[in-house]
Amino acid sequence: MTDTPTTAPANTPPPTTTNPPPLDRAFYTWSTFFSILTNTAPPAHRTAYFLAKDTLNEARDCARCEESKAFLFAYSPVIRFLKHNIDLLDGSGSAQATISTSNVFCRRCGPDGNASGGFDPETGIKLCANEFRNRGHLEDTLAHEMVHAYDHLRFKLDPYDLRHAACMEIRASTLSGECRWAREFFTRGQWGVTRQLQECVRRRAVLSVRNRPACKGEAQAEAVVDEVWGGCFGDTRPFDEIYR
């Protein structure tokens, strides 16, 4: 899922979601960890625990993210294909018209866990280094945001228009691979067999639209997704078909 784009100077890395506070180890303990596992920790303790953990491990997480990012741009078929097709959309070589390792930034994000990355037309892609389970999860997130970048350049979409936002999320969730059956089954506890892809894409699109400031609630989000579903789910550009 992508973050809503924010205004920032061109060609500057997006800032971290929160400024690192002084590390409070009072919550970063085994007792807090086990209370989180057993779902007995108060919400404030849970938030404080993950904030302390992510702050302590920020350098390690970002280094691991940078290493995976470089590997994916060099060897991942889906990332290389998306980069090639983004490059074909504009021959100017401007930072706004290309996606590469230079404008994909690994950062520590807040402990809310609502997003693992975001695309900003002015600055590029932010990857939340503290949110990734493994390289495959990072690859799905990067592919998702690169589909957003492709759509921004190819179709000139307005991310603040709910219909455009719904279409962007439908396409990105469909084409990135994050809704493939194995990802849903093993990491999200979604065990459906029939129409699993469509249900995952629809669920994620509704959630994204619902979180937009202009959306008035769940019913409107569902209506907007239904309105654009047919054309957007069937549009697999730049792929010939759903790749993953």
Side-chain angles (χ1 to χ4, degrees), residues 229-243:
W229 177 264
C232 297
F233 183 76
D235 183 357
T236 61
R237 287 175 288 181
F239 300 95
D240 293 329
E241 58 187 11
I242 297 175
Y243 173 69

Side-chain angles (χ1 to χ4, degrees), residues 1-5 14 103-105 109 115-121 123-128 132 141-142 144-146 148:
M1 183 183 305
T2 186
D3 292 330
T4 301
N103 60 357
V104 175
F105 307 99
C109 298
S116 52
F119 167 68
D120 187 306
T123 58
I125 291 172
K126 179 177 72 174
L127 299 174
C128 295
F132 297 119
T141 300
L142 180 55
H144 181 115
E145 304 307 333
M146 290 179 76
H148 284 330

Side-chain angles (χ1 to χ4, degrees), residues 27 32 35-36 39-49:
F27 296 102
T32 305
S35 69
I36 291 172
N39 202 30
T40 59
H45 284 207
R46 180 184 179 88
T47 299
Y49 172 85

Side-chain angles (χ1 to χ4, degrees), residues 1-4 17 46-47 50 54 109-118 126 128 130-133 137 141 144-145 169 178 188 203-204 207-211:
M1 183 183 305
T2 186
D3 292 330
T4 301
T17 304
R46 180 184 179 88
T47 299
F50 283 108
D54 292 341
C109 298
D112 52 22
N114 289 331
S116 52
K126 179 177 72 174
C128 295
N130 53 311
E131 295 291 340
F132 297 119
R133 297 180 297 274
H137 183 198
T141 300
H144 181 115
E145 304 307 333
E169 289 302 320
E178 62 192 354
R188 302 189 186 114
R203 182 181 71 248
R204 294 172 70 86
L207 178 61
S208 178
V209 173
R210 190 181 66 191
N211 289 334

Side-chain angles (χ1 to χ4, degrees), residues 32 47 67 71 84 100 110 131 140 148 158 191 194 214 226 240:
T32 305
T47 299
E67 180 182 1
F71 178 90
H84 172 70
S100 67
E131 295 291 340
D140 289 347
H148 284 330
D158 177 4
W191 300 324
T194 61
D226 288 342
D240 293 329

Side-chain angles (χ1 to χ4, degrees), residues 66-87:
E66 291 287 349
E67 180 182 1
S68 293
K69 178 185 77 174
F71 178 90
L72 293 172
F73 270 100
Y75 300 111
S76 166
V78 66
I79 300 303
R80 287 168 58 90
F81 179 82
L82 283 169
K83 182 184 184 318
H84 172 70
N85 280 273
I86 290 171
D87 290 345

